[in-house]
């Protein structure tokens, strides 16, 4: 009789009536913007009501659940979020006690942290409530059909097969060509968007604008270039040329007709195309040894066994390599620390878009042997990301995407911290660089930065500067700093520059020959 009673009670206390959809979860690689929570479905398979009694978690784990009562044939969702405080792999065990059995159910959640936010505050570590939308969900729900028309500014004729690029937060949301009607239609999220249009025989057009459900039709007028290429202006004159800012003309639509298309025309005065000059190393002249053979009397020739000589490795010039070639055969491993100006002067969306896009292009080129670190500066200085291998591209891009601009410029201290980070990850016989990205000069605490540059130059850590839409005065100051640091000045004024200039500068600086 006792055996029969025990057998009847065994399902209640041994196996239990509460079932968990899953007890092991792997979040994989975690970046700043990666969701760090899981949803576990807890269901009552029995015929009587049961409860979730308690949930025991490590300090780095938070949770919420939809009530505690589990009715028969019903269930709730248990949401668990991991909040690791350091980079690297983690595994947390959560104990869930339910009323159907005496022993807890173990839930294991693990992952690998690649990047963390600047500050771990309560908003970041709090488990997200049910119904809260993720950034991905918000982007999907705010997306709409956007049409862009590229046409001739004079004849108004559509320009088919025009190159079209749309950037949001530095990432391309459109990279395509217009159709036979000069149009391109795609679904994009609302928000600030950087437009780039190009067509053979025309000046390129670049401009940023906000788009939304009503601003859903963009017209980009391209100005035809002259058939003969004009002589380039002297540099000092060209820098003083005033560029007329293009304006966005909006046609207001009645409030009650949201579906009516509104045209936004991007117009600008014709500008000269930016000429990107790739600085290439001159081939080193070879010295020929002139051996003078004195006259000698005739002697009996003896058979001499030739001594094998090693073949001299063939040196390929940088200009003869494909522009996408960054192989270890020709390029040294690179250790680069970017010291990035995120002050309010960089708040202009065009500057941020170009800066982020340029860093994305470089990240795509990096190899596992390369290292990259990010230091930001405005009112204060912060190491956003210590040296990270080029194989973790998603982590690097996530940190770049998270950068916002505010505060005033304080570049001198940032340079010192940048050099210290470069020294920590120093690669012997490699290309060790500190690269400043800014739109202007260093405004605060910068009196001794030249001394710092000279000191670290002796340690084979060089300094280059990326100038984002600089004024002539700021450009002169940054060129001077890069000269002291035995680096290079890298101008970025448009999308073409952002695509190529930083990537090609890194290739040139790390070229083995």
């Amino acid at each position: 009789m006792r055996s029969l009673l025990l057998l009847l009670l065994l399902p209640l206390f041994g196996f239990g009536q509460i079932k968990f959809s899953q007890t092991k979860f792997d979040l994989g690689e975690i970046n700043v913007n990666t969701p760090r929570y899981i949803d576990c479905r807890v269901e009552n398979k029995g015929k009587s009501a049961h409860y979730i009694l308690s949930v025991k978690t490590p300090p780095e784990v938070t949770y919420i659940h939809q009530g505690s009562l589990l009715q028969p044939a019903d269930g709730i969702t248990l949401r668990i979020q991991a909040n690791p405080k350091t980079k690297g792999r983690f595994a947390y065990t959560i104990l869930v006690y339910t009323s159907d059995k005496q022993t807890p159910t173990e839930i294991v959640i693990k992952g690998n942290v690649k990047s963390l936010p600047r500050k771990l505050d309560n908003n970041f570590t709090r488990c997200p409530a049910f119904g809260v939308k993720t950034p991905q969900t918000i982007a999907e729900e705010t997306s709409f059909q956007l049409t862009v028309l590229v046409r001739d500014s004079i004849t108004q004729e559509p320009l088919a097969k025009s190159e079209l690029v749309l950037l949001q937060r530095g990432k391309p949301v459109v990279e395509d060509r217009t159709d036979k009607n000069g149009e391109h239609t795609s679904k994009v999220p609302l928000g600030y968007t950087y437009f780039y249009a190009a067509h053979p025989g025309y000046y390129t057009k670049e401009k940023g604008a906000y788009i939304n459900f009503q601003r859903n039709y963009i017209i980009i007028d391209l100005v035809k270039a002259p058939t003969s290429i004009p002589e380039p202006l002297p540099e000092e004159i060209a820098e003083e040329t005033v560029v007329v800012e293009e304006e966005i003309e909006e046609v207001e639509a009645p409030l009650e007709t949201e579906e009516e298309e509104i045209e936004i025309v991007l117009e600008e005065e014709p500008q000269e195309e930016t000429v990107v000059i790739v600085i290439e190393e001159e081939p080193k002249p070879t010295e020929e040894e002139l051996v003078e053979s004195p006259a000698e009397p005739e002697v009996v020739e003896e058979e001499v066994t030739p001594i094998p000589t090693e073949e001299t490795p063939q040196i390929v010039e940088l200009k003869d390599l494909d522009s996408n070639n960054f192989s270890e055969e020709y390029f040294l491993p690179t250790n680069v620390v970017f010291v990035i100006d995120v002050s309010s002067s960089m708040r202009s969306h065009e500057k941020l878009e170009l800066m982020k896009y340029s860093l994305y292009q470089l990240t795509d080129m990096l190899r596992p042997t390369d290292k990259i670190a990010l230091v930001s500066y405005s009112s204060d200085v912060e190491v956003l990301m210590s040296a990270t291998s080029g194989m973790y591209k998603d982590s690097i891009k996530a940190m770049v995407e998270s950068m916002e601009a505010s505060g005033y410029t304080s570049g001198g201290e940032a340079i010192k911290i940048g050099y210290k980070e470069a020294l920590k990850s120093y690669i012997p016989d490699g290309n060790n660089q500190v690269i400043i990205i800014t739109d202007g000069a260093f405004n605060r605490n910068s009196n001794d930065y030249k001394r710092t540059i000279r000191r670290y130059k002796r340690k084979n850590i060089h300094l280059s500067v990326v100038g984002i839409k600089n004024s002539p005065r700021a450009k002169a100051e940054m060129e001077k700093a890069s000269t002291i640091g035995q680096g290079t000045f890298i101008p970025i004024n448009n999308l073409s520059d952002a695509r190529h200039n930083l990537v090609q500068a890194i290739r040139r600086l790390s070229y083995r020959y």
Side-chain angles (χ1 to χ4, degrees):
M1 188 65 176
R2 291 180 179 176
S3 300
L4 180 60
L5 180 61
L6 180 60
L7 185 62
L8 293 174
L9 294 176
L10 189 60
L12 295 178
F13 296 98
F15 300 100
Q17 301 178 36
I18 306 301
K19 302 297 180 183
F20 291 77
S21 61
Q22 193 175 339
T23 57
K24 294 183 179 180
F25 298 87
D26 189 349
L27 296 173
E29 289 190 1
I30 299 176
N31 301 310
V32 175
N33 300 322
T34 304
R36 293 164 290 109
Y37 66 87
I38 57 93
D39 286 338
C40 178
R41 187 67 178 170
V42 185
E43 296 184 345
N44 185 357
K45 299 294 186 180
K47 296 182 179 181
S48 58
H50 284 284
Y51 295 88
I52 292 181
L53 300 177
S54 64
V55 180
K56 304 295 184 183
T57 66
E60 297 84 4
V61 174
T62 56
Y63 72 93
I64 59 172
H65 53 78
Q66 301 167 316
S68 300
L69 176 60
L70 292 164
Q71 295 288 359
D74 197 3
I76 63 174
T77 299
L78 173 63
R79 176 167 290 179
I80 303 172
Q81 173 163 288
N83 301 312
K85 298 179 180 179
T86 58
K87 296 180 183 179
R89 298 186 180 278
F90 66 86
Y92 302 128
T93 300
I94 297 91
L95 303 179
V96 182
Y97 290 86
T98 54
S99 61
D100 65 322
K101 58 181 181 179
Q102 295 179 343
T103 57
T105 299
E106 292 188 358
I107 297 178
V108 177
I109 180 172
K110 64 180 182 178
N112 188 8
V113 178
K114 293 300 180 183
S115 60
L116 289 169
R118 302 180 187 181
K119 297 179 181 179
L120 292 174
D121 55 20
N122 291 335
N123 291 329
F124 183 79
T125 59
R126 184 182 295 114
C127 189
F130 295 109
V132 175
K133 298 175 182 178
T134 64
Q136 293 82 357
T137 303
I138 294 174
E140 291 175 2
E141 292 183 355
T142 59
S143 295
F144 63 99
Q145 292 293 331
L146 174 72
T147 299
V148 180
L149 168 65
V150 181
R151 66 185 186 184
D152 186 290
S153 62
I154 303 300
T155 66
Q156 310 293 294
E157 290 294 322
L159 298 176
K161 303 300 180 183
S162 297
E163 181 185 2
L164 186 65
V165 179
L166 274 61
L167 302 181
Q168 290 185 349
R169 298 184 68 84
K171 291 185 176 180
V173 293
V174 170
E175 283 185 300
D176 207 345
R177 294 187 177 274
T178 58
D179 59 19
K180 62 181 180 181
N181 299 316
E183 292 185 332
H184 183 279
T185 301
S186 58
K187 192 173 183 180
V188 299
L190 61 80
Y192 184 88
T193 305
Y194 188 90
F195 293 85
Y196 169 91
H199 191 85
Y202 287 79
Y203 292 107
T204 60
K205 174 71 69 64
E206 299 185 40
K207 187 63 180 177
Y210 282 96
I211 57 174
N212 55 33
F213 295 98
Q214 288 189 332
R215 295 178 173 182
N216 60 2
Y217 196 87
I218 305 294
I219 297 177
I220 302 179
D221 288 330
L222 298 186
V223 177
K224 199 162 190 176
T227 53
S228 59
I229 302 176
E231 291 293 327
L233 294 174
E235 186 175 357
E236 61 272 10
I237 299 177
E239 290 178 353
E240 297 177 358
T241 302
V242 178
V243 179
V244 179
E245 291 290 334
E246 55 193 12
E247 298 180 354
I248 301 173
E249 299 179 0
E250 301 177 20
V251 181
E252 296 186 358
L255 295 177
E256 64 275 8
T257 57
E258 291 189 357
E259 295 182 356
E260 182 178 352
E261 294 180 345
I262 295 180
E263 298 183 358
I264 302 175
V265 183
L266 303 183
E267 298 181 349
E268 67 177 358
E269 295 297 324
Q271 303 179 17
E272 289 190 9
E273 293 183 325
T274 301
V275 180
V276 179
I277 302 176
V278 180
I279 303 174
E280 299 172 352
E281 295 183 357
E282 292 292 333
K284 297 180 180 179
T286 58
E287 298 182 359
E288 296 184 359
E289 294 183 1
L290 302 178
V291 181
E292 191 172 322
S293 302
E296 296 182 359
E298 293 185 5
V299 295
V300 179
E301 294 183 359
E302 298 181 358
E303 187 176 348
V304 180
T305 304
I307 301 175
T309 58
E310 296 182 1
E311 292 186 2
T312 304
Q314 185 176 3
I315 297 177
V316 179
E317 294 188 31
L318 180 60
K319 65 181 179 62
D320 296 329
L321 294 174
D322 186 275
S323 60
N324 296 320
N325 188 327
F326 198 54
S327 64
E328 295 183 5
E329 180 180 0
Y330 299 108
F331 299 93
L332 299 169
T334 294
N335 167 42
V336 58
V337 177
F338 285 99
V339 178
I340 303 171
D341 180 358
V342 291
S343 64
S344 56
S345 64
M346 284 285 288
R347 190 176 294 170
S348 164
H349 287 283
E350 294 181 14
K351 294 178 183 178
L352 283 175
E353 294 288 341
L354 293 174
M355 182 268 288
K356 292 181 179 182
Y357 184 76
S358 183
L359 287 175
Y360 291 149
Q361 305 310 301
L362 176 63
T363 301
D364 287 334
M365 185 183 74
L366 293 177
R367 304 157 297 182
T369 53
D370 300 322
K371 302 175 185 177
I372 181 173
L374 303 175
V375 175
S376 69
Y377 71 94
S378 56
S379 302
D380 55 6
V381 182
E382 187 171 1
V383 178
L384 298 179
M385 185 180 72
S386 56
T388 301
S389 167
M391 68 184 297
Y392 299 116
K393 301 183 187 302
D394 291 342
S395 299
I396 299 169
K397 290 181 178 180
M399 187 57 71
V400 171
E401 183 179 3
S402 68
M403 288 189 291
E404 301 292 346
S406 64
Y408 49 82
T409 306
S410 178
E413 186 64 26
I415 294 176
K416 295 178 182 178
I417 294 178
Y419 273 117
K420 291 178 181 178
E421 290 296 314
L423 196 58
K424 290 178 185 177
S425 52
Y426 184 84
I427 300 177
D429 299 323
N431 172 32
N432 296 277
Q433 290 277 331
V434 169
I435 299 182
I436 303 168
I437 301 181
T438 180
D439 65 333
F442 312 111
N443 300 328
R444 292 183 69 253
N445 303 328
S446 305
N447 295 331
D448 61 345
Y449 76 89
K450 294 179 181 179
R451 189 184 314 152
T452 303
I453 295 172
R454 291 187 179 96
R455 183 168 70 250
Y456 279 94
K457 181 178 65 175
R458 293 193 292 267
K459 299 180 181 181
N460 198 32
I461 300 177
H462 303 291
L463 180 126
S464 297
V465 183
V466 174
I468 307 288
K469 289 182 170 288
N470 302 133
S471 66
R473 180 178 180 181
K475 178 183 176 183
E477 184 71 17
M478 288 184 282
E479 286 180 328
K480 187 186 302 181
S482 60
T483 300
I484 296 172
Q486 288 186 339
T488 186
F489 174 71
I490 308 163
I492 293 181
N493 297 303
N494 50 50
L495 190 66
S496 178
D497 291 347
R499 274 179 178 164
H500 306 292
N501 288 10
L502 178 58
V503 167
Q504 297 308 320
I506 293 294
R507 291 180 72 246
R508 186 176 64 81
L509 291 168
S510 59
Y511 185 54
R512 288 184 180 274
Y513 306 109

